[in-house]
Amino acid sequence: MSLEERLLLTTTEVSPLCHADVGTDHALLPLYLLNNRICRRVIATEKSPSAFHVAKQRLWGRKAEVRQGEGLGPIEVDEVESLSLCGMGGHLVVEILSQEPAKVPPIVVVQANRDSHKVRQWAQDAGFHVVKEQMAKGHWTYEILTFHRNQGVDKAYENVPHELALHFGPLLLSQQHPLLLEELNRRREYHHEHPQNEELRRIKEALDLLHSQGDYRS
Ligand SMILES: C[S@@+](CC[C@H](N)C(=O)[O-])C[C@H]1O[C@@H](n2cnc3c(N)ncnc32)[C@H](O)[C@@H]1O
């Protein structure tokens, strides 16, 4: 079974013990995790009744449970070691993670379709460090962010301007990810010049930062 790259990159980040996929839709990610023996057990949750029924059929007879409900509602405290939230907006992801913080496991993998900065801000506020930032091409260009619960200051943000790090990724910026440069150039073309266009200002600052780091792999 072929999986979109954004989901494939998510599969490398989950716990091998018990993983929960929230907003699983047709359970493509859980199915891949079980078919490829990446996880021993998976819990797939979905709020939409029709998607829930498809997910249930797809995972029938597997080491998986499909539960209907909103956000982390269907998951018990300490039940899973990792959690993924993919294909949603960053605002919704933060809403789900903030509603029941006691249920958030030590590993969280997020592929937000937009507003990743809101998810990075959640992580800083909730005591999670960003340990990996990946990018994948598909219908759009996606960011796949891996957070681990940790104490103290997240060192990934050291030496990177904070606003740019939140919006474009501290690790993506410091690693000079080739897809980040491509994406920033694409977005710079798309935005209209205007002194009050904050997003365009950030994009230009991020491009300046990347170019100033030298030996850019273009
Ligand atoms: C765009 S789909 C993404 C599906 C899959 N995770 C993926 O990345 O391909 C978003 C899914 O999240 C579900 N969803 C939206 N809000 C939710 C919530 N609060 N709790 C659980 N599921 C939710 C939707 O019903 C939908 O199936």
Side-chain angles (χ1 to χ4, degrees):
M1 181 185 71
S2 78
L3 199 61
E4 279 180 72
E5 200 189 352
R6 66 184 173 87
L7 294 178
L8 208 50
L9 295 181
T10 303
T11 66
T12 61
E13 302 307 301
V14 306
S15 159
L17 301 175
C18 186
H19 177 75
D21 186 42
V22 172
T24 198
D25 197 12
H26 292 178
L28 297 180
L29 179 70
L31 205 52
Y32 188 95
L33 292 174
L34 294 168
N35 282 348
N36 292 280
R37 298 176 191 277
I38 295 169
C39 273
R40 206 178 289 169
R41 182 168 165 252
V42 176
I43 295 172
T45 78
E46 185 40 68
K47 82 164 188 184
S48 140
S50 55
F52 165 74
H53 285 299
V54 174
K56 216 166 161 56
Q57 281 175 343
R58 289 222 159 149
L59 291 171
W60 186 254
R62 312 277 181 146
K63 274 207 172 253
E65 278 185 55
V66 188
R67 301 178 187 166
Q68 192 178 358
E70 292 243 357
L72 306 185
I75 299 168
E76 302 298 325
V77 174
D78 290 335
E79 194 181 17
V80 299
E81 279 77 28
S82 60
L83 181 78
S84 52
L85 297 127
C86 300
M88 303 175 198
H91 186 81
L92 176 59
V93 166
V94 170
E95 203 172 271
I96 290 174
L97 291 169
S98 306
Q99 266 164 3
E100 297 187 77
K103 292 186 177 178
V104 179
I107 302 174
V108 177
V109 192
V110 177
Q111 179 269 301
N113 286 347
R114 69 193 84 85
D115 294 334
S116 285
H117 65 284
K118 294 185 179 174
V119 182
R120 292 191 182 95
Q121 186 63 64
W122 163 82
Q124 294 210 320
D125 298 342
F128 281 78
H129 290 190
V130 60
V131 297
K132 195 161 170 185
E133 295 187 315
Q134 306 179 87
M135 290 186 85
K137 278 202 160 201
H139 188 67
W140 291 302
T141 300
Y142 304 99
E143 294 166 29
I144 301 94
L145 312 181
T146 308
F147 301 100
H148 288 183
R149 186 178 285 121
N150 208 337
Q151 290 177 342
V153 175
D154 187 348
K155 288 195 166 38
Y157 287 85
E158 282 179 358
N159 307 320
V160 189
H162 193 68
E163 187 191 12
L164 299 185
L166 277 182
H167 280 263
F168 305 117
L171 301 176
L172 294 173
L173 281 167
S174 54
Q175 289 162 7
Q176 302 175 298
H177 198 293
L179 282 183
L180 178 61
L181 179 72
E182 193 180 306
E183 180 62 9
L184 287 171
N185 278 323
R186 190 191 68 77
R187 286 200 226 165
R188 183 175 56 182
E189 296 303 312
Y190 168 84
H191 278 274
H192 294 292
E193 284 288 349
H194 191 283
Q196 280 161 13
N197 188 335
E198 287 294 297
E199 179 64 2
L200 182 58
R201 173 188 59 75
R202 277 191 290 268
I203 289 168
K204 286 178 172 175
E205 285 180 15
L207 282 167
D208 286 347
L209 179 71
L210 287 174
H211 289 302
S212 74
Q213 285 168 340
D215 92 311
Y216 197 87
R217 295 166 270 149
S218 55

